[in-house]
């Protein structure tokens, strides 16, 4: 009898312990996973295009206007974290279709050709145009002054062909910043780039050393938007709603001014 009671008590204890552990697993684990993971917005970006997205060696971080904008939009959309996926520029749009990222931000001009590969939000920067950058004190206000002069441009950009319409002495550089430095070092007479990039270098580094000489004649103003996979209306609507709200905030204007200054060029 004692032996039987001992067996019964052992089984009851075992069942009680098993039941407790089972309840703990079901109640705690999903809650802990949800807290740890949170809501993450995955964003593809190419971190080689200052001032939009680039690596800052001094702080060992990736920064830029696009980076700060997406972080603000992520908060507006209710995400706990914005995770940037460093991707080569030519692989950004394919990464959307492959589901590797939820959105792409890459200072990408919205054109009919681009819309064939992805859907785009409303513009987050408008009036993007090509300008001629020159040393301070340059008197002429016409792009014609570049005729047969040394013109520095970023290699692979649309500005290469634009510059070649004015001179055969086009210097192709690894970055827009390199083009700026060539002008300052008098190794080039002018630099050609988009107005936002020009304003970034003038506002943050070379304010009294450079001037925007002129807009490039015949160049049309463009807009820049965020891209999502074709047909992803849910993400597109969320981003557009966040843009509408966030771009009216003081935080957005502060970011814009810190990168591009108070004046648009």
């Amino acid at each position: 009898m004692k032996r039987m009671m001992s067996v019964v008590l052992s089984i009851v204890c075992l069942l009680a312990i098993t039941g407790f552990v089972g309840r703990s697993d079901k109640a705690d684990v999903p809650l802990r996973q949800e807290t740890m993971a949170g809501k993450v917005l995955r964003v593809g970006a190419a971190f080689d295009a200052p001032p939009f997205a680039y690596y800052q060696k001094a702080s060992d971080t990736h920064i830029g206007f696009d980076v700060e904008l997406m972080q603000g939009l992520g908060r507006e959309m209710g995400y706990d974290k914005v995770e940037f996926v460093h991707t080569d520029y030519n692989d950004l749009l394919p990464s959307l279709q492959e589901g590797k990222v939820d959105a792409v931000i890459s200072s990408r001009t919205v054109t009919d050709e681009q819309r064939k590969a992805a859907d785009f939000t409303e513009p987050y920067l408008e009036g993007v145009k090509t300008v001629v950058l020159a040393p301070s004190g340059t008197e002429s206000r016409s792009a014609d002054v570049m005729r047969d002069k040394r013109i520095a441009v970023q290699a692979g950009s649309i500005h290469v062909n634009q510059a070649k319409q004015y001179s055969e002495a086009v210097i192709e550089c690894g970055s827009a910043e390199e083009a700026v430095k060539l002008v300052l070092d008098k190794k080039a007479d002018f630099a050609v780039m988009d107005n936002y990039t020009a304003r970034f270098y003038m506002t943050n580094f070379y304010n009294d050393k450079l001037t925007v000489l002129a807009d490039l004649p015949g160049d049309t103003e463009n807009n820049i938007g965020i891209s999502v996979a074709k047909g992803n209306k849910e993400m597109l609507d969320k981003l557009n709603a966040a843009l509408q709200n966030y771009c009216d905030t003081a935080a957005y204007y502060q970011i814009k001014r810190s990168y591009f200054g108070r004046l648009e060029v």
Side-chain angles (χ1 to χ4, degrees):
M1 184 69 178
K2 290 182 180 180
R3 189 172 180 181
M4 179 68 70
M5 286 295 293
S6 176
V7 171
V8 170
L9 287 173
S10 297
I11 293 173
V12 169
C13 290
L14 181 60
L15 288 173
I17 293 171
T18 304
F20 177 77
V21 172
R23 285 194 301 274
S24 175
D25 284 345
K26 290 179 181 178
D28 294 344
V29 173
L31 180 62
R32 184 166 59 250
Q33 288 176 339
E34 182 180 343
T35 303
M36 290 174 65
K39 291 177 64 179
V40 179
L41 179 64
R42 299 167 303 155
V43 179
F47 287 96
D48 56 0
F52 300 101
Y54 60 104
Y55 173 73
Q56 187 181 64
K57 188 174 182 180
S59 60
D60 191 28
T61 55
H62 290 94
I63 61 173
F65 177 78
D66 286 357
V67 174
E68 295 194 43
L69 174 66
M70 282 307 307
Q71 289 169 338
L73 294 178
R75 290 190 296 269
E76 190 74 31
M77 296 165 69
Y79 285 93
D80 299 301
K81 178 184 178 182
V82 176
E83 180 180 287
F84 291 96
V85 181
H86 182 33
T87 309
D88 289 342
Y89 185 84
N90 291 333
D91 295 330
L92 284 170
L93 294 187
S95 72
L96 282 171
Q97 303 303 332
E98 295 167 5
K100 295 179 180 179
V101 294
D102 303 306
V104 159
I105 190 165
S106 59
S107 61
R108 189 180 290 272
T109 302
V110 182
T111 64
D112 291 339
E113 188 65 26
Q114 295 283 357
R115 289 185 187 278
K116 294 177 182 179
D119 290 335
F120 284 84
T121 64
E122 294 299 315
Y124 66 87
L125 282 179
E126 297 180 316
V128 182
K129 55 190 177 183
T130 303
V131 297
V132 180
L133 208 58
S136 293
T138 304
E139 295 181 0
S140 176
R141 289 296 164 187
S142 170
D144 285 334
V145 74
M146 294 193 299
R147 297 286 179 194
D148 300 322
K149 300 292 184 180
R150 299 169 300 173
I151 307 172
V153 295
Q154 182 172 351
S157 70
I158 62 172
H159 309 307
V160 174
N161 289 332
Q162 290 174 326
K164 286 181 178 179
Q165 295 177 22
Y166 290 85
S167 175
E168 294 182 358
V170 174
I171 306 169
E172 298 188 37
C173 308
S175 66
E177 183 176 17
E178 185 180 336
V180 168
K181 288 182 176 178
L182 287 180
V183 173
L184 293 174
D185 293 340
K186 298 182 179 180
K187 295 179 180 178
D189 302 299
F190 304 99
V192 173
M193 63 190 63
D194 73 84
N195 52 327
Y196 283 98
T197 300
R199 175 57 66 184
F200 168 69
Y201 286 113
M202 290 175 65
T203 297
N204 294 280
F205 305 104
Y206 312 112
N207 187 34
D208 53 350
K209 297 180 180 180
L210 294 168
T211 185
V212 172
L213 187 70
D215 297 349
L216 206 63
D219 183 52
T220 57
E221 291 190 357
N222 297 298
N223 298 324
I224 293 176
I226 302 166
S227 46
V228 302
K230 291 287 289 184
N232 191 349
K233 188 175 184 302
E234 181 181 0
M235 179 58 66
L236 188 67
D237 289 345
K238 286 181 179 179
L239 282 167
N240 276 327
L243 275 169
Q244 186 174 9
N245 293 331
Y246 186 69
C247 289
D248 281 335
T249 65
Y252 170 77
Y253 285 106
Q254 178 57 41
I255 294 171
K256 197 172 181 181
R257 286 175 179 174
S258 69
Y259 282 97
F260 309 122
R262 291 179 177 271
L263 300 176
E264 301 294 346
V265 295

